[in-house]
Amino acid sequence: VQLQASGGGLVQPGGSLRLSCFGSGLSVEYWSIGWFRQAPGKGREVVSCMDASGRFTHYADSVKGRFTISRDTAKNTVHLQMNSLEPEDTAVYYCARTKPPPYCTRDGDWGQGTLVTVSS
């Protein structure tokens, strides 16, 4: 059972990226799923999470209004749409099962992350 993050890359400030989190052996519609990130030299922090119903979400203050979490149950995937990216968003992004919003505490194993670099 693993959640695999993908979709990272290099983007200029002000640009957009969409990350994907695919559930391998886990149905994302039955669990709260969250996105986390770890910037160079910093600890891992929660970015956003969504509950199992898909109706309730939580965002870190630093990304509110810029990032949107969503899911596609047909593809067993949770997305993180990131707009108006800033250099401070540079980090390795991970997804994992979590406690429901607003807590978003990690409640499952870490999968492989995906690197997002925001730079001109």
Side-chain angles (χ1 to χ4, degrees), residues 3-117:
L3 292 168
Q4 295 287 355
S6 64
L10 174 64
V11 63
Q12 292 187 340
S16 298
L17 276 177
R18 188 176 79 156
L19 305 183
S20 298
C21 174
F22 175 72
S24 177
L26 176 150
S27 294
V28 300
E29 65 183 311
Y30 297 133
W31 302 97
S32 295
I33 304 293
W35 285 95
F36 301 78
R37 67 185 181 186
Q38 186 166 16
K42 296 187 177 181
R44 204 165 295 190
E45 63 177 0
V46 64
V47 175
S48 178
C49 77
M50 172 182 284
D51 80 322
S53 75
R55 293 182 296 162
F56 300 101
T57 59
H58 171 79
Y59 296 92
D61 288 344
S62 58
V63 307
K64 278 181 183 177
R66 300 188 298 122
F67 291 11
T68 303
I69 190 170
S70 64
R71 71 182 185 184
D72 183 340
T73 55
K75 295 183 178 179
N76 203 32
T77 300
V78 175
H79 296 291
L80 185 69
Q81 177 67 42
M82 306 187 296
N83 298 328
S84 302
L85 283 161
E86 304 168 351
E88 293 73 22
D89 296 316
T90 294
V92 178
Y93 285 71
Y94 303 85
C95 56
R97 281 171 42 197
T98 68
K99 297 293 187 184
Y103 307 105
C104 302
T105 307
R106 183 174 64 91
D107 193 33
D109 295 333
W110 293 115
Q112 184 174 351
T114 186
L115 175 62
V116 173
T117 303

